[in-house]
Amino acid sequence: MEKNGTLDQAIPAKQKRGEANRVRMILAAERLFASQGIEGVSIREIGAEAKQANSNAVQYHFGTKAGLLHAIFDYRVAQMEPARQKLLVHAEEAGRLQDMRTLTDVLLLPYLDLVDEQGKHNYAVVMTEYMTRYRPRGVPHAGDELTEKSASLRRLVSLIERRISYLDPALARSRMDICHLMFFNMLVIWDKDYRPVSKRPPLRIFVEDALQMVTITFCLPEPTPIDWKGLVGKDPQASCGVLTWPRP
């Protein structure tokens, strides 16, 4: 028997404290990865940022930096899951599960809620580095796995893949990554703009512009290979044609 209750009552409270501490380390790592780069931060620095008295706390919970990076992905995927599930239900009720703009909104809008106390999109910064440096090396993302935390995301990805099934699978995967990067980079550029928010166009304008670009990019036809070497020294306009693509 514990002093303030039964042992069974004390265990959940301890688990809650442990989970809160774990989340504190995840968010500290995300902040430092965003500001200094994933390779520019040590495990000990992350522990200090998370106010951990034990210098080995991060290693105890996550093992390696790769394990911590995967924990960030897992945490954020789970955080966005309810929003995506709700948006998919609304899309299905409206008969819009084949509409690429609707699918794009479901895919990308939940990222807007992933901000820190200053309103910065640290996760977008981390994802930009991951997708340009680590994903090409085969480092997995938690969203690649079908789990209870990612069920809506995996369903959404399947819907998008069916929508662009005319593409070679490798090209479709590349297009998915590039479309993510377009949206993440928009958020990163917005955050790093030196002007006060009051002096800039509203973020919603940039979001809408990015969503339109992503929708169009998803729907572009499979490209015809071009011999770029043969274009050197020629009039650049000679190689420009009019693109047509399926309606979003």
Side-chain angles (χ1 to χ4, degrees):
M1 180 77 70
E2 294 290 315
K3 183 176 181 180
N4 295 320
T6 67
L7 182 59
D8 287 342
Q9 290 172 329
I11 290 175
K14 185 177 181 180
Q15 288 175 340
K16 289 180 181 178
R17 289 195 298 272
E19 181 60 23
N21 200 39
R22 188 173 183 276
V23 170
R24 192 177 301 115
M25 288 184 275
I26 286 173
L27 295 179
E30 186 181 83
R31 282 195 304 275
L32 292 180
F33 287 167
S35 63
Q36 301 178 37
I38 295 171
E39 296 298 333
V41 183
S42 70
I43 291 290
R44 288 181 178 272
E45 287 174 317
I46 294 168
E49 175 75 9
K51 305 292 192 296
Q52 299 299 301
N54 185 343
S55 60
N56 294 319
V58 176
Q59 188 172 11
Y60 172 79
H61 282 276
F62 306 103
T64 63
K65 191 183 293 185
L68 180 53
L69 183 63
H70 193 274
I72 293 173
F73 297 155
D74 187 67
Y75 175 72
R76 290 308 195 184
V77 166
Q79 200 171 23
M80 291 184 284
E81 177 67 9
R84 287 200 173 112
Q85 184 179 35
K86 185 176 180 180
L87 289 169
L88 279 174
V89 168
H90 290 165
E92 189 165 20
E93 290 174 347
R96 299 185 65 82
L97 288 182
Q98 301 297 318
D99 177 67
M100 184 54 80
R101 172 54 197 264
T102 299
L103 298 177
T104 297
D105 288 354
V106 179
L107 180 68
L108 299 177
L109 286 179
Y111 289 109
L112 296 177
D113 292 330
L114 307 185
V115 294
D116 65 8
E117 295 82 356
Q118 287 75 47
K120 301 295 185 182
H121 300 86
N122 291 329
Y123 186 64
V125 181
V126 174
M127 282 298 295
T128 297
E129 182 177 3
Y130 162 72
M131 298 192 77
T132 54
R133 294 189 62 187
Y134 297 92
R135 192 165 180 81
R137 300 182 200 168
V139 177
H141 188 282
D144 297 332
E145 307 162 4
L146 177 56
T147 66
E148 184 179 349
K149 297 178 181 179
S150 65
S152 295
L153 175 59
R154 296 314 309 163
R155 182 190 180 198
L156 173 62
V157 170
S158 294
L159 288 168
I160 293 174
E161 287 175 342
R162 286 203 295 269
R163 183 65 175 78
I164 57 175
S165 59
Y166 56 88
L167 295 175
D168 177 87
L171 183 58
R173 288 192 296 271
S174 174
R175 193 168 289 186
M176 182 80 73
D177 288 348
I178 289 170
C179 285
H180 270 98
L181 279 168
M182 290 169 67
F183 196 78
F184 293 146
N185 279 315
M186 177 275 298
L187 293 176
V188 173
I189 291 169
W190 167 266
D191 286 348
K192 293 184 179 297
D193 196 311
Y194 70 93
R195 296 170 297 175
V197 173
S198 60
K199 300 293 185 183
R200 291 185 261 164
L203 176 59
R204 65 177 182 273
I205 299 297
F206 292 91
V207 170
E208 177 58 28
D209 189 52
L211 291 172
Q212 289 187 22
M213 288 191 292
V214 167
T215 302
I216 291 172
T217 300
F218 266 132
C219 292
L220 287 170
E222 189 158 9
T224 301
I226 296 176
D227 180 9
W228 294 105
K229 294 181 180 179
L231 297 176
V232 176
K234 294 184 178 180
D235 180 1
Q237 293 186 356
S239 63
C240 295
V242 178
L243 289 175
T244 60
W245 52 81
R247 290 180 59 83

